[in-house]
Amino acid sequence: MSAITVPPMSPTQLQPARRNRLYWALADAWMLARRRLTQIPRIPDELIFATIQPIMFVVLFRYVFGGAITSAGPNYANFLMAGIFVQTVIFGATTTGVGLAQDLEKGLIDRFRSLPMAKSAVLTGRTIADLVRNLFVVIVMLVVGLVVGFRPSGSPLAWLGAVTLILLVSFAFSWISATIGLLVHSVEAAQSAGFVWLFPLTFASSAFVPVQTMPSWLRTFAEHQPVSVFVDAVRALLLGQPVGADGWQAVVWCAGILVVFIPLSVWLYGRRVGR
């Protein structure tokens, strides 16, 4: 009986099916995002304090300052909540940089270096996890807003657009925060540097008062800075008002931030872990 000859297999046939680099980068990022999200229930204090601060802002502005701010209209809660939503996700995005600084300080990033994963996965995974976390906080803020008199009148489609824009802002500012966390060399510095530049942007904007009430020199800045654009677009969508140019300008601002800070933070990450 003659032996059966098996044709040799090519190297391509011997290797497992390969997917492109983008697939594996996203798969690695989702794995790290899941790791981060599973940690949140184990550290409830972090989520609790993340929601306490915006709740305090809602209560203080609604009941302490709201009576004095008559230029925003008869229902100040309707005017206020768009600013609270945007401020909440911008402030919440600072946890990305603080978390990266903490991981670098503890040596966790060095462990990731030994794994065959994309360099961007560590950063993308954390920004995705912080995006989900910010979504939860925004939902809590919506409930609080309804309690204090927020009565939005936008259509369901407009609501979807507003939520999408809020999450896009959160994602964009997380990459700015990641860059800051990779530039500094301690958790304390990441916390300070992450917040100090946000206060002028959020308070010198249309988030809490109409910009028309500001001095002319400050009004010029407030009208043309990104936070005002974000807030005005979200407010118009939630209240069923014309969005105008604020909608596309908000998307352009977010896209510009991502185009600049994603490559920059990945490059900085490569420098930090390559030392």
Side-chain angles (χ1 to χ4, degrees):
M1 185 174 181
S2 60
I4 299 175
T5 304
V6 179
M9 300 181 68
S10 66
T12 304
Q13 292 174 306
L14 291 172
Q15 294 175 355
R18 291 186 176 181
R19 293 183 171 90
N20 58 43
R21 294 176 61 184
L22 177 60
Y23 170 85
W24 288 116
L26 293 176
D28 293 340
W30 177 239
M31 179 192 68
L32 292 177
R34 288 179 58 189
R35 170 189 170 273
R36 168 65 180 157
L37 290 172
T38 55
Q39 288 178 334
I40 293 178
R42 301 171 189 171
I43 315 175
D45 296 353
E46 180 181 332
L47 196 59
I48 291 172
F49 285 105
T51 56
I52 286 177
Q53 178 178 297
I55 289 174
M56 290 176 60
F57 274 114
V58 172
V59 174
L60 287 174
F61 275 90
R62 176 67 178 89
Y63 294 110
V64 177
F65 303 116
I69 303 174
T70 57
S71 56
N75 188 349
Y76 180 63
N78 281 351
F79 182 90
L80 171 69
M81 289 310 300
I84 290 293
F85 291 145
V86 173
Q87 185 203 54
T88 295
V89 297
I90 289 177
F91 282 5
T94 59
T95 59
T96 303
V98 174
L100 282 172
Q102 192 173 42
D103 289 345
L104 285 164
E105 195 174 79
K106 291 181 176 179
L108 182 62
I109 300 297
D110 292 331
R111 302 178 194 174
F112 291 149
R113 287 177 58 192
S114 62
L115 301 176
M117 66 170 58
K119 287 194 301 182
S120 62
V122 173
L123 305 177
T124 308
R126 180 165 282 277
T127 55
I128 292 174
D130 290 339
L131 179 68
V132 176
R133 171 182 170 275
N134 273 343
L135 175 60
F136 172 78
V137 177
V138 167
I139 293 172
V140 174
M141 290 305 98
L142 174 60
V143 174
V144 175
L146 293 173
V147 171
V148 301
F150 178 48
R151 297 296 180 266
S153 54
S155 66
L157 186 60
W159 268 70
L160 179 62
V163 173
T164 301
L165 179 56
I166 290 169
L167 295 181
L168 183 59
V169 171
S170 171
F171 190 65
F173 274 77
S174 281
W175 284 98
I176 298 178
S177 178
T179 302
I180 294 173
L182 293 167
L183 282 172
V184 299
H185 294 86
S186 69
V187 177
E188 292 78 10
Q191 290 174 331
S192 300
F195 269 107
V196 68
W197 65 280
L198 291 176
F199 281 100
L201 283 179
T202 53
F203 286 97
S205 71
S206 60
F208 305 114
V209 296
V211 296
Q212 292 79 8
T213 62
M214 301 178 183
S216 58
W217 59 271
L218 183 58
R219 177 179 174 180
T220 301
F221 168 77
E223 287 178 336
H224 297 93
Q225 57 115 329
V227 173
S228 289
V229 176
F230 300 147
V231 171
D232 290 343
V234 171
R235 182 178 291 130
L237 289 167
L238 291 176
L239 300 181
Q241 300 170 352
V243 180
D246 292 321
W248 66 263
Q249 288 180 5
V251 174
V252 169
W253 266 110
C254 290
I257 291 171
L258 292 172
V259 167
V260 172
F261 285 95
I262 289 179
L264 179 58
S265 58
V266 172
W267 177 73
L268 287 171
Y269 176 79
R271 288 195 62 189
R272 287 292 298 268
V273 301
R275 293 176 182 174

